[in-house]
C-alpha cells in the first residue's frame, strides 16, 4: 500500500503539517496563495523503503505489522540483509529465511558503495555461504544474545574482515548507522499518527527560524 504524502507549509512562525495543502493558514486564517516561498507546500521524504528493492542493504522493520500500521515505538524489531536482487536473508528461532515478500516498509541502510566492484560481484556468494554456517541453525537461536541482529552484524563484520577493515561492535554499528535513521523514522511516524487523527499538525518554530 502506498504511503499518503505528508506536506509541510511554513506560516505564522510554525510548521504546519498536512496531507493536502490548505487554501488558508489553519492558524491565522489568511490565504496562503501569494504568502511567499516558505508557505509553498513541501513534501517530506519518507524514511521508509521497499526492502525488496534495496540491494545489499541492512533492513529494519517491526517484528509484527508495519511502522505506519500501528507501531508503538516499543515493540520488537527484526533485521535482515538483502541480496543483490532484494531477497532478505534473516534469522530467527526457525533458522535462516530467504524472504521475497514481507519487507515492503523498512528502514534501509546501504552496505556497499557503487565503486566496490569486487564486493558487488561477490555479495550473493558471500551471503549464501555465511548463512549456511552452523551458527545459524534453529537450535542456536537465543532471543537476547544470538538473534537476528547477531546474524546481520556478524555477516557485516565477516565482509569487513575480508576487506582488511576493522570489525564493528553492536553499539558502534547501532549508534553510527541505525540510530540516525530510527530518529528520522520516529518523527515521521509521529506526524503520520497525528495526521491520521487530525487534518493539521502545527509545530511552533524556534525563534531564530520564525518568518511570517
Amino acid at each position: 500500500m502506498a504511503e499518503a504524502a505528508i506536506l509541510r507549509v511554513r506560516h505564522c512562525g510554525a510548521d504546519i503539517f498536512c496531507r493536502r495543502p490548505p487554501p488558508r493558514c489553519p492558524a491565522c486564517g489568511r490565504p496562503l496563495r501569494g504568502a511567499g516561498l516558505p508557505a509553498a507546500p513541501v513534501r517530506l521524504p519518507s524514511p521508509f523503503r521497499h526492502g525488496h528493492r534495496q540491494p545489499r542493504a541492512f533492513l529494519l522493520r517491526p517484528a509484527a505489522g508495519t511502522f505506519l500500521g500501528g507501531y508503538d515505538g516499543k515493540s520488537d524489531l527484526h533485521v535482515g540483509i538483502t541480496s543483490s536482487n532484494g531477497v532478505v536473508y534473516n534469522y530467527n528461532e526457525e533458522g535462516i529465511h530467504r524472504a521475497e515478500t514481507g519487507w515492503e516498509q523498512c528502514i534501509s541502510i546501504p552496505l556497499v558503495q557503487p565503486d566496490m566492484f569486487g564486493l558487488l560481484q561477490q555479495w550473493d556468494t558471500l551471503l549464501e555461504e555465511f548463512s549456511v554456517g552452523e551458527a545459524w541453525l534453529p537450535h542456536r537461536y537465543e532471543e537476547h544474545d544470538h538473534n537476528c541482529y547477531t546474524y546481520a552484524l556478524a555477516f557485516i563484520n565477516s565482509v569487513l574482515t575480508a576487506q582488511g577493515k576493522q570489525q564493528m561492535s553492536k553499539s558502534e554499528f547501532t549508534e553510527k548507522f541505525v540510530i540516525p535513521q530510527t530518529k528520522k523514522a520516529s518523527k515521521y511516524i509521529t506526524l503520520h499518527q497525528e495526521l491520521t487523527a487530525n487534518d493539521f499538525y502545527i509545530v511552533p518554530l524556534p525563534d531564530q527560524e520564525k518568518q511570517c
Side-chain angles (χ1 to χ4, degrees):
M1 189 176 77
E3 292 172 31
I6 295 178
L7 305 176
R8 186 198 74 207
V9 173
R10 192 162 279 185
H11 201 258
C12 283
D15 277 337
I16 300 160
F17 298 97
C18 52
R19 297 290 190 193
R20 296 181 192 83
R24 294 179 176 274
C25 173
C28 70
R30 284 182 288 171
L32 289 175
R33 184 183 290 275
L37 193 58
V42 175
R43 179 173 179 155
L44 299 190
S46 171
F48 305 118
R49 299 287 176 267
H50 191 304
H52 301 289
R53 297 174 188 161
Q54 307 297 314
R56 308 174 196 89
F58 174 97
L59 300 184
L60 184 74
R61 68 163 172 79
T66 63
F67 280 117
L68 297 179
Y71 179 65
D72 61 6
K74 300 170 192 164
S75 306
D76 288 343
L77 295 169
H78 192 44
V79 306
I81 303 281
T82 55
S83 69
S84 62
N85 56 1
V87 175
V88 185
Y89 282 64
N90 61 102
Y91 177 60
N92 65 11
E93 63 274 11
E94 297 172 357
I96 294 291
H97 298 265
R98 297 163 181 81
E100 296 185 21
T101 61
W103 296 73
E104 288 79 16
Q105 192 183 91
C106 304
I107 291 170
S108 174
I109 299 166
L111 296 173
V112 183
Q113 301 301 320
D115 60 352
M116 296 178 175
F117 299 114
L119 193 51
L120 291 171
Q121 300 299 321
Q122 295 176 298
W123 187 263
D124 289 354
T125 302
L126 293 172
L127 185 55
E128 181 62 35
E129 288 178 353
F130 179 83
S131 300
V132 296
E134 288 189 12
W136 316 116
L137 291 171
H139 70 273
R140 298 290 302 276
Y141 182 85
E142 206 287 319
E143 185 178 357
H144 299 294
D145 299 318
H146 195 77
N147 53 27
C148 59
Y149 206 129
T150 315
Y151 161 76
L153 186 60
F155 174 69
I156 291 167
N157 278 328
S158 74
V159 172
L160 290 172
T161 299
Q163 292 182 300
K165 296 179 180 177
Q166 191 170 345
Q167 293 196 356
M168 301 183 80
S169 67
K170 181 178 179 180
S171 59
E172 186 182 1
F173 182 81
T174 302
E175 189 172 329
K176 187 174 181 180
F177 295 104
V178 178
I179 289 176
Q181 298 296 329
T182 54
K183 281 183 176 177
K184 290 180 193 172
S186 179
K187 290 178 182 177
Y188 196 88
I189 290 168
T190 298
L191 292 173
H192 171 79
Q193 291 171 344
E194 290 288 342
L195 293 175
T196 299
N198 305 288
D199 289 337
F200 304 104
Y201 181 53
I202 301 174
V203 180
L205 286 167
D207 286 340
Q208 65 269 26
E209 290 185 44
K210 285 188 176 177
Q211 293 175 328
C212 197

